[in-house]
Amino acid sequence: MNLAAQIIALLQVGGTVGIALWQKLEQLTSLGPDEQANVKAQVEAAIAIDEDTIARIKAWRVLVGLDPAAPAAADPQKPAP
Amino acid sequence: MRKRISASIAVLAIVAATAACIHKAGGSQVTPYEKAVTYSAMLAQANNSVAQGVIQLQQAGAIPVDQTDRILRFQYIVASDHEELSRLLADGPAVAKGRAQAIASLLTDIQTRSRILIEGGGLGVKNPQSKQTMEADVSLVVSTAQAIVTSLQMAGVLK
């Protein structure tokens, strides 16, 4: 399945998550005229998004009483108990 | 009502597919390296959006804490690996070429983890719609990572 088809699949099942994702992806795929500036902007955007993801997950872990530092060491591929 | 919502989402999906085409102001050609960093930012965004969705689902009582934890651990590791990847790509194609081994290793790691998670049923989500959403997300991570690899090969960064 190509990338566009996978985005469609995600949107079809993703509801509000999918709609928000579509809006963000639309912003990310509109580039300016200068290559260097585009590379810098996309890399900075990606790092900011990843840091936000990490911060949200840590905040959620605190909220539910889990150790916020644990995901870095945990193996997510371990079968569920 | 449900049909109407599905139709709205389908329309949005078509628009999204169009929007997913990377384009440049003034209509000039997008370089392979620009494509690579754009796919990279898309990967980060997909991971972030679904992490938010998973947290919302848990808070709404749709999935239990332990299952949410398993999905978010995966997303945490993808975000960490991807942040490292972004820093390796930050200085442009000429510098990235000297970091090819580390870049390839991170992309392989992200793809391998994602595939194992899908094929091994490691998401652990029982609710069918939540499961579909998560599988679609993880598949998107795999595909976007592959699109980054292809673009970096075209840019001469990876062999």
Side-chain angles (χ1 to χ4, degrees):
Chain A
M1 203 190 303
N2 66 29
L3 203 57
Q6 299 221 344
I7 291 169
I8 290 172
L10 182 59
L11 287 169
Q12 283 173 335
V13 298
T16 54
V17 172
I19 293 165
L21 175 59
W22 158 66
Q23 290 170 334
K24 298 281 176 62
L25 292 183
E26 191 186 44
Q27 288 170 6
L28 289 172
T29 53
S30 301
L31 306 182
D34 180 67
E35 182 182 7
Q36 271 190 317
N38 287 333
V39 169
K40 187 172 183 287
Q42 296 293 46
V43 166
E44 284 176 358
I47 290 172
I49 294 164
D50 286 330
E51 285 179 351
D52 180 71
T53 305
I54 289 167
R56 284 178 189 274
I57 293 170
K58 282 184 175 175
W60 175 81
R61 292 182 67 83
V62 171
L63 197 68
V64 298
L66 297 172
D67 177 2
D75 183 358
Q77 292 160 16
K78 196 178 165 188
Chain B
M1 182 65 180
R2 182 177 282 183
K3 275 186 180 174
R4 194 177 299 168
I5 292 168
S6 298
S8 304
I9 292 171
V11 170
L12 282 169
I14 292 164
V15 178
T18 313
C21 298
I22 304 166
H23 59 279
K24 223 167 162 175
S28 55
Q29 201 171 358
V30 180
T31 68
Y33 201 76
E34 283 176 310
K35 281 187 184 170
V37 292
T38 302
Y39 287 133
S40 177
M42 288 169 70
L43 188 155
Q45 189 58 62
N47 197 44
N48 180 283
S49 294
V50 178
Q52 288 186 52
V54 170
I55 291 169
Q56 283 171 16
L57 283 171
Q58 186 277 318
Q59 288 172 342
I63 44 176
V65 168
D66 62 333
Q67 288 178 9
T68 307
D69 182 34
R70 289 176 55 73
I71 299 165
L72 291 179
R73 281 186 202 183
F74 160 75
Q75 296 191 291
Y76 185 101
I77 289 169
V78 169
S80 302
D81 279 359
H82 185 264
E83 190 176 343
E84 200 179 332
L85 173 71
S86 297
R87 294 187 194 285
L88 294 172
L89 296 174
D91 300 313
V95 177
K97 200 171 177 179
R99 301 168 176 166
Q101 200 175 346
I103 290 168
S105 170
L106 283 169
L107 285 165
T108 303
D109 188 49
I110 289 170
Q111 287 181 298
T112 305
R113 281 182 181 281
S114 306
R115 286 200 183 105
I116 290 172
L117 205 62
I118 298 171
E119 288 162 12
L123 290 170
V125 179
K126 304 286 184 255
N127 176 296
Q129 193 175 4
S130 304
K131 190 178 179 194
Q132 254 189 314
T133 306
M134 295 310 111
E135 284 178 353
D137 169 52
V138 180
S139 297
L140 183 60
V141 169
V142 173
S143 297
T144 316
Q146 187 52 49
I148 297 168
V149 170
T150 305
S151 301
L152 288 175
Q153 285 170 340
M154 288 173 71
V157 172
L158 297 182
K159 287 179 184 172

